[in-house]
Amino acid sequence: MIADRRATLPMHARRVLAYLSLQKLARPDCDRGQLAERLWPDSSAERSRASLRTALWRIRCADPEVVAVDCERVSIADDVAVDVHRFRTIAEQILAARTPDDFPVAPAGLPSVTDLLPGWDEDWLLLVREQLRMLRLHALEHGAAVLTAHGRHPQAIDLILQVVDEEPLRESAQAVLINTHLELGNVADARRQFDDYVALLWSQLRLRPSPQLVAVLDTTR
C-alpha cells in the first residue's frame, strides 16, 4: 500500500522491495553490486545491474520516496512501514519483559512467520524465515515462563503448547511446560508430559533428555 492505495509492481521490482525490507533487519542499506548479484545470480554482472536499475525505476515510478538510491547504495526508506520489522520489535519487547504488564501485546497474538511471502523459494528468504521463526519460539517460551512466574498458569500453558505443538522435540519448551504443571501441583501431568517427551526423543533421534530436565522431575519422587 502506498498512501492508502494498492500499488501493482512486476515481480522483479517486488523481489527488490522484499529483499531490501528484510535485509534492513540486519543492516541499513545494501551495496548495489552485491544486491544485483544476489537477486540475479545466474546473470552477468552487467545484466544483473541492468535488471536492478529497471526494478528500481519501476519502484520509483510507483512512489519516488519508497527507496533511497545513490550510485553505490540502495535502501528501503526509513519511514516505510514493514510488518516484519514490527513483528521483530514486538518479539524483542516480549523477550525483555519481566512481568506480564511489560508485554506490548499478548504473546499469544505473535503471528507465525511460516506464511512470509508464500510460494517464494529464494535462498535469502529461507534464512530470514528461519531466523524469525526462532525469534518467535524464543519469545513465546519466555512469555510462558514469565506468566508462570506470576501465577498465570492457564495462560502460560496455552502459550507454551503453541511451541510444543510446532516443535515437539524442543527441550526448552518441554521444560517450561513441565515446570508450569509442577507449579500448579499437577505432578501427574508433569510426569506424563516428561514420559511422552522421552519416548518421542528416543524414537526420533535416539537421544535422552538432558540431566537438567531429568532433575526437574527427580524432585517429585
Side-chain angles (χ1 to χ4, degrees):
M1 300 292 291
I2 298 175
D4 296 326
R5 62 182 173 83
R6 186 176 183 85
T8 302
L9 292 171
M11 187 62 188
H12 66 288
R14 281 183 279 158
R15 291 175 72 236
V16 170
L17 275 181
Y19 186 90
L20 291 175
S21 297
L22 295 177
Q23 287 302 300
K24 198 163 186 175
L25 293 169
R27 59 183 65 89
D29 57 20
C30 294
D31 176 83
R32 289 183 66 132
Q34 292 178 352
L35 175 60
E37 182 181 345
R38 189 65 186 271
L39 293 183
W40 289 276
D42 297 327
S43 299
S44 66
E46 181 179 352
R47 176 133 190 161
S48 63
R49 284 177 176 270
S51 297
L52 177 59
R53 285 195 299 271
T54 301
L56 291 173
W57 175 76
R58 294 299 297 266
I59 293 168
R60 291 171 68 81
C61 284
D63 190 315
E65 305 300 323
V66 171
V67 292
V69 180
D70 62 27
C71 60
E72 296 182 354
R73 314 293 296 182
V74 58
S75 67
I76 196 84
D78 290 337
D79 58 353
V80 173
V82 181
D83 290 347
V84 171
H85 296 180
R86 183 172 183 273
F87 167 90
R88 188 180 72 167
T89 297
I90 291 173
E92 289 175 345
Q93 289 172 342
I94 292 172
L95 283 167
R98 293 295 173 262
T99 74
D101 292 337
D102 296 331
F103 295 149
V105 299
L110 198 62
S112 172
V113 295
T114 55
D115 58 353
L116 176 63
L117 298 175
W120 292 34
D121 60 356
E122 312 268 356
D123 290 343
W124 53 268
L125 179 57
L126 299 178
L127 176 61
V128 174
R129 279 187 187 136
E130 182 61 14
Q131 290 172 331
L132 294 174
R133 187 183 75 85
M134 294 301 296
L135 177 62
R136 177 176 177 271
L137 294 179
H138 283 302
L140 294 179
E141 277 184 18
H142 179 76
V146 169
L147 289 168
T148 296
H150 288 80
R152 301 189 186 181
H153 302 107
Q155 298 97 316
I157 289 175
D158 287 344
L159 191 60
I160 198 61
L161 281 174
Q162 292 187 40
V163 184
V164 170
D165 180 63
E166 185 173 334
E167 289 288 340
L169 294 172
R170 187 178 174 90
E171 184 171 301
S172 56
Q174 295 283 350
V176 172
L177 180 55
I178 291 167
N179 183 63
T180 304
H181 283 313
L182 292 175
E183 288 284 329
L184 273 170
N186 295 330
V187 177
D189 287 337
R191 172 59 66 178
R192 187 180 306 112
Q193 187 68 37
F194 176 80
D195 290 343
D196 289 347
Y197 174 62
V198 169
L200 179 65
L201 189 62
W202 182 254
S203 67
Q204 295 292 318
L205 301 176
R206 287 296 187 266
L207 294 175
R208 301 294 187 188
S210 71
Q212 292 83 358
L213 186 62
V214 173
V216 172
L217 268 295
D218 282 345
T219 62
T220 66
R221 293 184 186 279

